Amino acid sequence: MKKLIKIFIVVIGVLSFTACETDFNNINQPAEDQVLTTKAGLLGVSVGMSQNFATSTLAPIVEIPGLTTRELGNTLTYVTPGELVAGGTLLNSDNAGVTRLWSRLLRDKGMAESILANIDNVEMEPGTKAGLSAYAKWFKAMTLGYLIQNFEQAPINNDPNGASVFNTRGEVLSECINLLESAKADLASTAISAEFLAYIPNLDLQNVVNAFLARYNLFAGNYTAAISAANAVNLSSVSEWWYDGVTNENPVWSFAVFNDPDTKPQDNFGLTGSYIPEVGDGRIAFYLSPVDESETDFGLHNVDNALGFFDTASKSIPIFLPGEMLLIKAEAYAMSNDLPSAVLNLNLVREKTNDVFGVNAALGPWTGNVNSQTDIMDEIFKNRSIELFMSGMRFEDSRRIHPNLVIPAGGDYFIERNRNYYPYPFDERENNPNIPADPSI
């Protein structure tokens, strides 16, 4: 895999990554058709987009909404995290963090689109083509999904002229689901070749596709489909972003742990009131290491050191957690008014002691009101906030489960989330005539 990173360094300059793009000529770069018309080139692009996502794009996916939802606090007086922690209308469209999140996701999505646009024109073994096609479809669905978790609308397809058409949340989620169903069909038609697996290791693609189908069907309100997809996931399967800690460092470690960082996890996962984790919850010690209680962030919260998947430069990060599948089923059953099944799956998370990644609450069954959908959903939100800590999910979860939260325009340091969606980056607005109006909050 290290040899293929060299391909990525060459490729990254010639593909379209963002909705708005300025072209610069570089005589030292190969023409795009030289990269995208060979099997080695397409496989190299797949390695490149994986590497770029794992080491670069994943950082703002975790950090930016983490600051908005109190998972994370800023310990220094930098403008970018300060605006995110304040939220409301104080968050500007030129915020560097929001811009990073937007541009890096669009860049990676563009790489997946380039593979899909060219794969049928390149001769390769059927099993290599099936794997590459399914992987690119999942990758595009994943990047689209992270976009719509943070922005009110997003372009399904990048435009090389910088004039992408924006799509609604419903349209984007439908496209995510369609891409993943198509990826499933690819995998069902032909077994993945050893050649493809040599390029993309550490990934159980069949289970990853089903896991993301469960996720996006839940977000779309397709509860029966979400349960079916979650049931199809082997909870013992392992798929991870891998790091060697030297040339490829864990990006969350880089911003949240290394060298006296300006961003750290908040006490109690940033949860307050009835959502504070119970004494004895094993996930506290898994994810957090207490520090001197006098150390606070600029939102006036105490902060901790990050553990879990983030405490060293070489720690791998799961692509999905098995607990998410159980919580997807719990929520889908609750929203379908099958409250006993919802509580059953909720308790499977609370009582779990054999998680393949070690994320074990090891608590007793929930003792709340099992006949109240609202109470069950609140407990699901609490457990999603803890189980899926620093995964980039809480912004979406808060908005979906608590849609009526009143957010002060002037910002707030203690509210569950201080925005509903982010403003579109200033550069996108300056260059793309199709960009919609910013959300008010």
Side-chain angles (χ1 to χ4, degrees):
M1 184 170 180
K2 288 184 179 178
K3 291 173 66 177
L4 294 171
I5 303 307
K6 297 178 182 177
I7 298 176
F8 163 59
I9 293 170
V10 175
V11 168
I12 195 168
V14 298
L15 300 181
S16 299
F17 302 134
T18 58
C20 359
E21 178 181 51
T22 302
D23 291 324
F24 299 94
N25 293 323
N26 184 341
I27 60 172
N28 295 315
Q29 290 173 344
E32 185 169 339
D33 58 5
Q34 293 177 339
V35 174
L36 298 174
T37 58
T38 67
K39 179 182 69 174
L42 289 178
L43 288 168
V45 172
S46 72
V47 173
M49 71 181 187
S50 304
Q51 179 78 2
N52 195 67
F53 182 91
T55 59
S56 176
T57 307
L58 195 55
I61 286 172
V62 173
E63 183 178 21
I64 305 312
L67 289 163
T68 296
T69 58
R70 312 301 177 220
E71 283 185 297
L72 303 170
N74 66 311
T75 62
L76 300 174
T77 56
Y78 295 139
V79 172
T80 294
E83 289 180 345
L84 288 159
V85 167
T89 56
L90 301 176
L91 180 62
N92 296 312
S93 62
D94 60 355
N95 181 274
V98 172
T99 300
R100 277 198 304 274
L101 177 64
W102 174 263
S103 62
R104 291 181 188 182
L105 281 167
L106 283 170
R107 175 185 57 197
D108 292 352
K109 183 169 74 73
M111 297 176 82
E113 289 172 354
S114 294
I115 292 172
L116 295 172
N118 290 277
I119 191 170
D120 287 337
N121 301 321
V122 178
E123 185 176 345
M124 64 184 76
E125 181 183 341
T128 300
K129 182 176 181 179
L132 183 58
S133 175
Y135 186 71
K137 289 169 184 175
W138 164 68
F139 208 96
K140 179 173 179 177
M142 175 183 63
T143 50
L144 267 176
Y146 283 122
L147 280 166
I148 211 63
Q149 286 173 220
N150 293 284
F151 297 93
E152 194 171 32
Q153 297 186 46
I156 287 176
N157 296 305
N158 289 10
D159 182 87
N161 298 313
S164 291
V165 175
F166 280 65
N167 300 92
T168 65
R169 175 179 172 83
E171 291 169 340
V172 169
L173 288 173
S174 290
E175 179 66 10
C176 290
I177 293 165
N178 290 338
L179 284 164
L180 292 166
E181 291 289 1
S182 182
K184 278 188 69 174
D186 289 337
L187 297 174
S189 67
T190 309
I192 296 177
S193 69
E195 178 181 45
F196 173 77
L197 293 174
Y199 277 75
I200 306 294
N202 317 322
L203 182 77
D204 183 340
L205 190 52
Q206 183 72 57
N207 279 293
V208 165
V209 167
N210 280 319
F212 279 72
L213 267 173
R215 179 184 295 181
Y216 297 137
N217 273 302
L218 178 73
F219 294 173
N222 303 329
Y223 300 126
T224 300
I227 292 167
S228 177
N231 280 332
V233 177
N234 179 351
L235 300 187
S236 297
S237 69
V238 173
S239 294
E240 301 174 301
W241 304 115
W242 274 29
Y243 307 95
D244 62 16
V246 181
T247 58
N248 307 303
E249 294 179 341
N250 181 310
V252 181
W253 170 85
S254 295
F255 77 72
V257 177
F258 178 65
N259 197 24
D260 193 22
D262 63 298
T263 300
K264 283 189 171 185
Q266 288 194 10
D267 269 1
N268 295 318
F269 303 92
L271 298 171
T272 60
S274 61
Y275 298 117
I276 290 177
E278 298 163 47
V279 174
D281 189 328
R283 297 169 295 188
I284 300 172
F286 180 85
Y287 278 118
L288 300 174
S289 173
V291 298
D292 183 349
E293 288 299 320
S294 65
E295 184 175 355
T296 61
D297 71 6
F298 284 89
L300 307 178
H301 301 273
N302 292 329
V303 293
D304 292 338
N305 291 322
L307 296 177
F309 307 111
F310 316 116
D311 57 339
T312 70
S314 59
K315 272 285 184 74
S316 58
I317 298 176
I319 293 174
F320 73 91
L321 286 171
E324 182 188 357
M325 299 302 105
L326 298 171
L327 289 165
I328 284 172
K329 290 196 289 183
E331 182 175 342
Y333 279 124
M335 295 303 294
S336 303
N337 291 309
D338 183 349
L339 302 187
S341 294
V343 173
L344 185 153
N345 280 279
L346 176 59
N347 283 334
L348 288 175
V349 174
R350 289 177 52 90
E351 299 178 67
K352 180 157 52 72
T353 59
N354 61 347
D355 186 275
V356 68
F357 293 105
V359 187
N360 294 308
L363 294 168
W366 182 54
T367 59
N369 185 352
V370 298
N371 297 310
S372 168
Q373 184 190 59
T374 298
D375 288 359
I376 292 169
M377 288 299 296
D378 282 345
E379 183 66 13
I380 289 169
F381 174 74
K382 173 181 174 179
N383 276 273
R384 286 185 67 93
S385 296
I386 300 170
E387 186 88 3
L388 310 180
F389 185 59
M390 292 175 71
S391 65
M393 302 293 287
R394 194 182 298 183
F395 196 19
E396 166 69 33
D397 292 345
S398 173
R399 189 177 57 242
R400 185 181 69 257
I401 297 174
H402 298 144
N404 298 320
L405 184 70
V406 178
I407 301 172
D412 186 277
Y413 287 110
F414 293 91
I415 198 167
E416 183 180 294
R417 67 179 187 275
N418 61 34
R419 293 280 307 190
N420 285 327
Y421 293 99
Y422 291 128
Y424 301 104
F426 176 81
D427 288 347
E428 185 77 27
R429 186 164 299 285
E430 286 291 293
N431 291 284
N432 187 347
N434 298 316
I435 193 168
D438 286 335
S440 57
I441 294 292

